Amino acid sequence: MNNYGIPQDAVITIAGTVGVGKSTLTTALAERLNFRTSFENVDQNPYLDKFYNDFERWSFHLQIYFLAERFKEQKRMFEYGGGFIQDRSIYEDVDIFAKMHEEQGTMSPEDFNTYSELFNAMVMTPYFPKPDVLIYLECDYDEVIERIERRGRQMEIETDHAYWQKLFKRYDDWINEFNACPVVRVNINEYDLHESPDTLDPIIDKIRNAIEAYRKVDQR
């Protein structure tokens, strides 16, 4: 246990649509709880720019890349014995991004089936610890667009807003059905990491309570 009563072997995952602030909260929670971090490998991704220019040509390649990277992170967390704050879960890739591209025709049904089978095989391995809790970051759609523009990644800014609207809706639908682990919903307006760092404390309390309840049930 740390000073906040959270087990040092816990795996805490942060989920939410693009631009909602997952990476920032990941860093802040890791520093507060003395946990390691697990981030998406965005800067070294060889497909991301290509994907935003041509969804149909590169969606499968991008999703396979993310799946491989996230599985390596899952294995790393397992080998360390937990103690991680994770920026985005592997579940979002298959249930939101890949499925969206398959349904809108920018990923073939064959490619989606191949991707899904690979995902299902991965989650059956011993290297796949489920999160103790998933923190879902909520906000208004307009706030997402403002954050994307403020972040300044040109490939995201130039993307048609219809794509972000579809993604936003899919996240909302997905979290309402998600049951792989406990969920703590947090509105991004509930905390201010720059002006009022103490606003993180109530969120940590929710995390602790969710993990305690989850592990009690899991031990029965």
Side-chain angles (χ1 to χ4, degrees):
M1 296 283 183
N2 54 31
N3 292 336
Y4 292 92
I6 294 178
Q8 286 299 112
D9 63 346
V11 174
I12 300 168
T13 295
I14 301 178
T17 193
V18 173
V20 77
K22 297 183 295 297
S23 298
T24 302
L25 185 58
T26 295
T27 300
L29 279 175
E31 290 177 353
R32 187 72 69 88
L33 301 178
N34 194 27
F35 273 34
R36 300 179 183 90
T37 56
S38 174
F39 287 105
E40 284 190 301
N41 189 358
V42 173
D43 293 337
Q44 303 301 318
N45 190 320
Y47 299 110
L48 202 56
D49 286 342
K50 297 174 183 178
F51 163 75
Y52 278 108
N53 287 323
D54 189 343
F55 288 168
E56 187 170 359
R57 173 70 178 84
W58 296 106
S59 63
F60 179 70
H61 299 75
L62 179 71
Q63 291 307 132
I64 288 293
Y65 176 85
F66 273 133
L67 185 62
E69 290 296 307
R70 256 185 260 288
F71 183 73
K72 286 189 287 187
E73 282 296 287
Q74 292 289 136
K75 185 173 181 291
R76 183 168 75 97
M77 290 188 291
F78 173 83
E79 290 171 344
Y80 269 110
F84 277 86
I85 310 293
Q86 184 183 31
D87 176 6
R88 181 171 281 156
S89 74
I90 199 169
Y91 304 102
E92 293 160 79
D93 286 316
V94 64
D95 293 332
I96 298 177
F97 289 90
K99 187 60 178 174
M100 179 173 73
H101 285 290
E102 190 265 341
E103 289 181 355
Q104 69 184 18
T106 49
M107 181 185 292
S108 72
E110 294 82 5
D111 283 348
F112 178 74
N113 286 338
T114 297
Y115 174 86
S116 299
E117 288 177 4
L118 182 57
F119 168 82
N120 290 330
M122 286 179 172
V123 299
M124 295 301 292
T125 71
Y127 304 117
F128 200 91
K130 288 185 178 181
D132 288 278
V133 64
L134 182 141
I135 304 169
Y136 182 70
L137 296 184
E138 298 180 305
C139 67
D140 294 331
Y141 170 72
D142 289 341
E143 289 177 302
V144 168
I145 297 303
E146 289 174 9
R147 283 171 171 251
I148 288 173
E149 292 175 349
R150 193 162 60 241
R151 182 157 67 181
R153 291 178 184 165
Q154 201 61 31
M155 58 189 173
E156 294 178 347
I157 294 173
E158 293 175 354
T159 298
D160 191 321
H161 281 197
Y163 175 78
W164 302 126
Q165 286 179 318
K166 289 178 183 177
L167 191 61
F168 186 87
K169 175 65 166 56
R170 281 186 174 272
Y171 260 99
D172 193 47
D173 293 341
W174 170 76
I175 196 60
N176 289 328
E177 300 294 329
F178 181 79
N179 60 8
C181 71
V183 174
V184 170
R185 293 176 181 249
V186 176
N187 190 288
I188 62 173
N189 296 309
E190 291 179 23
Y191 60 93
D192 187 336
L193 300 177
H194 301 291
E195 298 296 330
S196 303
D198 289 346
T199 54
L200 199 58
D201 291 343
I203 297 173
I204 293 174
D205 289 341
K206 293 178 182 179
I207 294 170
R208 182 187 63 251
N209 293 337
I211 292 175
E212 286 179 354
Y214 179 52
R215 292 198 173 189
K216 285 180 181 178
V217 171
D218 197 44
Q219 290 172 358
R220 290 178 183 174

